[in-house]
Amino acid sequence: MLYLGDRHVREIGLQWEELVLCVENAVRHMDKGEFAQPLKPYLRYGNPANRIIAMPAFIGGDVQTAGIKWIASFPGNIDAGIPRAHSVTLLNEAGTGIPYAMLNTPLPSAARTAAVSGLMIRHYLNAQATNRKLRLGIVGFGPVGQLHYDMCCKLFGDRLEHILLFDIRSPDPANPALAGVGDEWRARTRIVDSWETLFGESDIVITCTVSKQRYINVPPAPGTLLLDVSLRDYTLDAIGGVQAVIVDDWDEVCRENTDIELLSLAGRLAKKDTRSLADVVCRGALGSFAPDEPVLFCPMGMATFDIAVAGHLVKRAAELDIGIRLA
């Protein structure tokens, strides 16, 4: 069995173009029914805000891998200076069930999340059919927000007029996540003092917080793309009127106090009113909306994507002779 730790994954490197294509390939296999993915269970004990989630999946086609991600999310860790999320992923040979790789996956897990956002942004830009410059805003600059920043700069930097960042902990301009991108993007990056400022000056808003309560209470401007990565940032007043709602999987995302569940319980949204990520990727669903229609994307996080990304990293590790072989 091959073991990949954080150091190994960083040595392999996060190649955003490859990761976005990896997720897109997984979406296409899912659309063909070449996958298995049971509804993920949540383990809770003690503090109800904490959970450990089991995410098993199989993906077929040219991937042919099964596995499971076991991810703990303890929001209070941040106040203690500990990362919120910790996870491991185990991969099994699809034909025999033999485990062949284990990954320490906080970084791959967050990278998968950013790659899904990258896929959505790419199809959104294609549907817009315009080369206008865009204004990007990221709320929350922890590990997930930082990877979104890196991904957006490297994949869409030529389309970005400016990048606004807001975090209640006030990101340090010397943060390595900022220093790690090119000077031209860093020069277009500004740290703002409120989400309101960011929300009013952004065409694409990515929320990557661990907020305990919803706080965005104003509707988006026409044509805004909302990537609701943290899933619990918007009040009903903010998103109750959005008609273009995209989900990765309705059954997964319409629970656990997500913004989709909020809309559903309020009678503002049903499954039939949404489009899936597969509809976007495989059927160009975003092209059916008017250019000035705000788009809300709520991704709960698909185990299939985690298995696909983990499998991709293991292949890259084998090509580069990186990792530890366990007896």
Side-chain angles (χ1 to χ4, degrees), residues 1-2 17 29 43 75 108 110 155 160 189-190 230-231 252 271 296:
M1 179 185 291
L2 179 69
E17 185 65 37
H29 286 312
L43 173 65
L155 290 185
L160 299 178
T189 301
R190 178 161 54 99
S230 40
L231 296 169
E252 283 284 9
K271 183 177 182 178
L296 173 66

Side-chain angles (χ1 to χ4, degrees), residues 97-180:
I98 297 172
Y100 70 91
M102 182 170 65
L103 298 83
N104 181 24
T105 45
L107 179 56
S109 182
R112 175 271 285 165
T113 302
V116 172
S117 295
L119 179 61
M120 183 66 185
I121 293 172
R122 175 164 291 171
H123 282 270
Y124 173 77
L125 295 179
N126 289 341
Q128 290 283 304
T130 176
N131 290 322
R132 68 185 176 94
K133 292 289 186 178
L134 297 170
R135 304 170 300 165
L136 171 68
I138 301 175
V139 183
F141 205 61
V144 175
Q146 292 170 19
L147 287 181
H148 274 80
Y149 175 76
D150 188 68
M151 177 274 295
C152 287
C153 287
K154 291 176 179 174
L155 290 185
F156 310 109
D158 60 334
R159 297 289 303 274
L160 299 178
E161 177 181 310
H162 68 220
I163 307 158
L164 303 183
L165 306 176
F166 171 70
D167 192 295
I168 58 174
R169 291 172 174 79
S170 299
D172 183 348
N175 188 309
L178 294 172

Side-chain angles (χ1 to χ4, degrees), residues 29-298:
H29 286 312
M30 293 177 73
D31 192 57
K32 296 174 183 176
E34 300 170 342
F35 80 108
Q37 180 181 269
L39 198 67
K40 53 193 179 189
Y42 284 62
L43 173 65
R44 285 192 168 90
Y45 54 90
N47 185 344
N50 301 331
R51 66 264 192 195
I52 308 179
I53 310 167
M55 299 177 63
F58 158 76
I59 181 167
D62 59 353
V63 182
Q64 292 297 322
T65 297
I68 185 168
K69 182 173 80 171
W70 179 240
I71 179 166
S73 177
F74 283 52
N77 282 0
I78 294 175
D79 296 326
I82 304 170
R84 172 188 63 85
H86 298 265
S87 66
V88 292
T89 297
L90 183 68
L91 298 181
N92 302 74
E93 292 178 357
T96 65
I98 297 172
Y100 70 91
M102 182 170 65
L103 298 83
N104 181 24
T105 45
L107 179 56
S109 182
R112 175 271 285 165
T113 302
V116 172
S117 295
L119 179 61
M120 183 66 185
I121 293 172
R122 175 164 291 171
H123 282 270
Y124 173 77
L125 295 179
N126 289 341
Q128 290 283 304
T130 176
N131 290 322
R132 68 185 176 94
K133 292 289 186 178
L134 297 170
R135 304 170 300 165
L136 171 68
I138 301 175
V139 183
F141 205 61
V144 175
Q146 292 170 19
L147 287 181
H148 274 80
Y149 175 76
D150 188 68
M151 177 274 295
C152 287
C153 287
K154 291 176 179 174
L155 290 185
F156 310 109
D158 60 334
R159 297 289 303 274
L160 299 178
E161 177 181 310
H162 68 220
I163 307 158
L164 303 183
L165 306 176
F166 171 70
D167 192 295
I168 58 174
R169 291 172 174 79
S170 299
D172 183 348
N175 188 309
L178 294 172
V181 303
D183 291 340
E184 61 171 317
W185 297 315
R186 195 173 180 192
R188 283 179 265 165
T189 301
R190 178 161 54 99
I191 298 171
V192 297
D193 59 6
S194 70
W195 70 262
E196 291 93 341
T197 298
L198 182 148
F199 202 70
E201 298 182 24
S202 301
D203 304 308
I204 300 176
V205 177
I206 309 176
T207 49
C208 304
T209 76
V210 289
S211 178
K212 298 176 182 177
Q213 59 186 15
R214 292 175 167 89
Y215 56 93
I216 298 177
N217 55 10
V218 294
T224 303
L225 172 62
L226 307 177
L227 298 181
D228 190 9
V229 173
S230 40
L231 296 169
R232 301 167 185 89
D233 294 89
Y234 291 93
T235 67
L236 199 58
D237 289 339
I239 57 174
V242 176
Q243 300 299 308
V245 180
I246 312 297
V247 298
D248 49 7
D249 183 277
W250 171 267
D251 294 323
E252 283 284 9
V253 78
C254 191
R255 60 189 185 127
E256 293 292 327
N257 191 35
T258 64
D259 292 337
I260 292 296
E261 186 180 36
L262 174 74
L263 291 169
S264 177
L265 292 176
R268 303 285 188 94
L269 189 72
K271 183 177 182 178
K272 64 180 178 60
D273 304 317
T274 66
R275 306 292 180 89
S276 70
L277 183 57
D279 290 329
V280 169
V281 171
C282 303
R283 285 170 287 282
L286 290 176
S288 64
F289 300 117
D292 62 349
E293 181 68 46
V295 175
L296 173 66
F297 177 46
C298 295

